[in-house]
Amino acid sequence: MTVLPEKSRIALQVRMSFAALMPRRRWLNGHLVLDREVRNDRFRSRHAFSLRNVVHTFRLHGPDEEDAESTGWLAEAYRVGEQRHL
């Protein structure tokens, strides 16, 4: 995995970018690219940019919001970054 620090975000990439984090003063904005649409209140929005690549945006206010479900989504996004889903 490659960590790509940019001016306003930190992107995570394997073969393709699969996640990005945008630190803010009181929270952390981010997005994950999944190969399906996940309907969950933790995601602020979803946008499909192809049939098998759906961007899911989120906001975290603290480390207590991270759990097994969100870790699973990150692992799924990593596999999308590897393009295993194609």
Side-chain angles (χ1 to χ4, degrees):
M1 179 181 79
T2 303
V3 177
L4 302 168
E6 300 172 0
K7 184 176 181 179
S8 61
R9 70 183 192 144
I10 301 165
L12 305 178
Q13 177 182 327
V14 189
R15 289 188 65 175
M16 66 175 256
S17 180
F18 65 91
L21 305 170
M22 291 76 69
R24 299 296 182 249
R25 191 175 305 253
R26 295 196 173 123
W27 58 77
L28 179 71
N29 285 337
H31 71 255
L32 300 172
V33 180
L34 303 176
D35 68 349
R36 62 192 175 94
E37 183 175 342
V38 175
R39 293 239 175 232
N40 187 294
D41 291 339
R42 296 166 108 180
F43 293 119
R44 299 166 60 88
S45 68
R46 292 163 302 282
H47 173 74
F49 64 89
S50 75
L51 287 175
R52 303 287 303 269
N53 292 288
V54 182
V55 177
H56 295 72
T57 62
F58 62 87
R59 176 174 286 172
L60 297 176
H61 291 94
D64 57 315
E65 294 181 273
E66 190 280 323
D67 60 13
E69 185 175 43
S70 59
T71 301
W73 290 326
L74 183 58
E76 185 178 336
Y78 182 88
R79 289 188 297 274
V80 170
E82 291 181 307
Q83 297 183 323
R84 286 190 190 182
H85 66 301
L86 300 177

